[in-house]
Amino acid sequence: MLPKTQMPSIQTIISAAASAAATAMVVRSVAKDLIPHEFQHALFVRLRQFLSTFSNQLTLIIDEYEGLYPNHLFQAAETYLGTVTTPDTKRFRASKPEKENQIKVSMEKDEELTDSSFGGFRIRWRLSCKKTPGRYIANPDDYYGGSFPKSEARFFELVFHKKMKDKVINEYLPYILEKSKILKEEQRTLKLWTLKNDRGMGGPSRKPWQSVNLDHPSTFDTLAMELDAKKTIMADLQRFVKRKEFYRRVGKAWKRGYLLYGPPGTGKSSLIAAVANYLNFDVYDLELTAMRSNSELRNLLISTANQSILVVEDIDCSIELQDRMKAAAKKAAAKVLVGRDPFQYGHGYDHGSTGVTLSGLLNFIDGLWSSCGDERIIIFTTNHKEKIDPALLRPGRMDVHIHMSYCTPCGFKMLAQNYLGISEHPLFKEIERLMEMKKVTPAEVGEQLLKNEEAESALRGLIEFLEEKKKGIEEDKDGELEQKESGSEGVTEIET
């Protein structure tokens, strides 16, 4: 042992440590400037592997995406860690969406926190990001050609003692999955998802959807629809959500298709909102005219969540499905175009029009890609059922056809209850008599009842409106007659 006079002082030790740290920073800076990026990465990996041989710690990586799919474990960890607060974490991210009661807390990039709430052992979490290279798209049907710019991919790092490896993988991670499921149910707010305009930029990890809260008040209790029809629809939905094992046993994707058809103003959008509120499912608005190819439609399908409703409104107006020969001729003509801008006409394909074809849509509904997700409702709406290709209408694609008809006496009474707060009135009989002669939609009735909050005045205004409607107007066959199209035998028909 050295004499006290020869022992280094505390100041000397601190000075030496500071000098070493400064030297390390200089070396790192020089290496960063002089050594190519590829060699830097390889060097740091080797150095990390070398140092790890002297450590008793293990690091587990949880990426945000696994191939095309979002990593469910990453999403669960993100939800779970929002409830974990520790003194060693200096920065958090907080948000409170409008009309939500709770403030959401999440980790900030490059921050750490330590969780010791499970089993008493400590696990250190860190949220990191890494740059991902651009991916060249050889097929311009996928996107607008070219390559994606570099984007960031997030991932969690879990650091723990190596002797806890089995406990972390077999107990801790399943605990996080279960805990996050409970938290999501407690915090759940229905969302309406729509496509981003810039979804093709930033690489495959960029989320193509953006959402707003779905605050539509429509429920089955307020729908202006025949009571028997509402009961039939609710029973069908309940039977669907309870039959996971049945669908798996018979070899079918766990999904159900609905076609809502009838004149405008008969409540198709309100019924979709009522289904969402009844099942507590998010709604994805699929705008087919905004999609450039079948492959993009598949990618969007993959990025939707389970327990959701996929909606294509006005399917007969969204894409030319009723004339396959015409579509084929148009595509063939596009292939012979020469001297055009390749950015617009890559490989003879006109990106100015929709690139979704009937075959691509059918594969989306009940092909191999339809199995990429569970417990999904697919809803098509149309004002003209007869214009839709029969291939879309058969069972297995559109399983239930719901005819949204003109306002009935039962529907009128529901509207009177909703708008005026009354269930009976002497004028009801006169209104119902006029409705039998003059076809009127629930939207038209609701508009008239909105004009006056006093029940007597509102009802008399509705009677005047019905009497003023032109006599002898040809009945709209789309709304009046139950249609039996070829290819629709075997589906469930519900008359509202």
Side-chain angles (χ1 to χ4, degrees), residues 383-432:
N383 298 333
H384 304 284
K385 180 182 176 183
E386 74 282 359
K387 292 183 178 181
I388 299 178
D389 194 294
L392 274 171
L393 301 177
R394 71 164 178 78
R397 290 168 180 164
M398 294 294 103
D399 307 288
V400 181
H401 295 188
I402 302 177
H403 178 208
M404 307 297 292
S405 64
Y406 290 106
C407 195
T408 63
C410 179
F412 161 69
K413 289 182 178 179
M414 180 58 67
L415 290 171
Q417 178 67 45
N418 295 340
Y419 285 84
L420 305 176
I422 59 175
S423 57
E424 293 293 339
H425 194 279
L427 294 176
F428 277 13
K429 290 185 178 180
E430 176 64 13
I431 292 173
E432 292 171 6

Side-chain angles (χ1 to χ4, degrees), residues 110-351:
D110 296 328
E111 283 297 316
E112 294 184 359
L113 63 79
T114 301
D115 182 21
S116 56
S117 62
F118 183 83
F121 58 90
R122 292 165 59 86
I123 295 182
R124 190 168 76 250
W125 288 81
R126 180 181 179 87
L127 178 61
S128 302
C129 293
K130 59 183 176 182
K131 293 289 185 180
T132 58
R135 178 169 65 92
Y136 182 75
I137 302 300
N139 182 5
D141 284 354
D142 290 339
Y143 292 95
Y144 278 140
S147 61
F148 286 125
K150 289 184 178 181
S151 61
E152 285 189 337
R154 298 189 301 167
F155 61 95
F156 281 116
E157 294 179 278
L158 285 74
V159 181
F160 49 89
H161 197 284
K162 60 175 62 176
K163 69 179 182 181
M164 306 305 301
K165 175 184 174 182
D166 292 339
K167 194 173 187 69
V168 168
I169 295 176
N170 298 326
E171 297 182 31
Y172 182 62
L173 295 182
Y175 164 77
I176 289 176
L177 289 171
E178 187 62 31
K179 183 72 173 178
S180 69
K181 184 177 179 181
I182 297 173
L183 291 170
K184 285 180 180 178
E185 287 300 320
E186 293 175 351
Q187 303 169 1
R188 184 168 176 80
T189 301
L190 287 186
K191 299 290 184 182
L192 174 60
W193 296 86
T194 186
L195 295 174
K196 292 180 179 178
N197 291 330
D198 59 347
R199 61 188 180 278
M201 304 301 292
S205 63
R206 184 177 178 87
K207 296 179 180 178
W209 299 94
Q210 58 188 354
S211 68
V212 295
N213 288 350
L214 179 60
D215 296 318
H216 201 295
S218 178
T219 66
F220 281 105
D221 291 333
T222 61
L223 274 180
M225 183 185 291
E226 290 294 321
L227 184 59
D228 289 343
K230 287 195 280 189
K231 288 181 177 180
T232 301
I233 296 171
M234 287 189 289
D236 188 79
L237 292 170
Q238 279 297 324
R239 184 167 57 251
F240 167 73
V241 299
K242 293 178 179 179
R243 303 180 85 183
K244 178 179 181 179
E245 295 304 321
F246 173 80
Y247 276 85
R248 186 173 297 276
R249 189 176 74 250
V250 300
K252 288 179 63 68
W254 192 16
K255 65 174 184 60
R256 193 140 177 89
Y258 290 81
L259 175 69
L260 313 185
Y261 68 97
T266 51
K268 292 185 283 291
S269 296
S270 294
L271 177 55
I272 293 172
V275 172
N277 287 322
Y278 183 67
L279 297 178
N280 203 27
F281 282 11
D282 286 353
V283 176
Y284 288 83
D285 180 20
L286 287 170
E287 182 59 58
L288 294 182
T289 56
M291 298 178 195
R292 296 180 283 269
S293 66
N294 293 332
S295 58
E296 184 179 11
L297 178 62
R298 292 193 296 267
N299 290 338
L300 292 172
L301 174 65
I302 290 172
S303 62
T304 59
N306 294 337
Q307 294 187 327
S308 58
I309 301 172
L310 312 181
V311 177
V312 180
E313 294 196 274
D314 297 320
I315 181 63
D316 56 300
C317 301
S318 298
I319 183 174
E320 291 186 9
L321 298 176
Q322 68 273 20
D323 192 343
R324 281 177 275 186
M325 295 299 293
K326 181 180 178 181
K330 183 178 179 181
K331 186 174 182 180
K335 289 183 178 180
V336 300
L337 289 174
V338 293
R340 301 301 182 109
D341 182 2
F343 181 79
Q344 181 181 7
Y345 290 95
H347 289 257
Y349 191 83
D350 182 2
H351 287 287

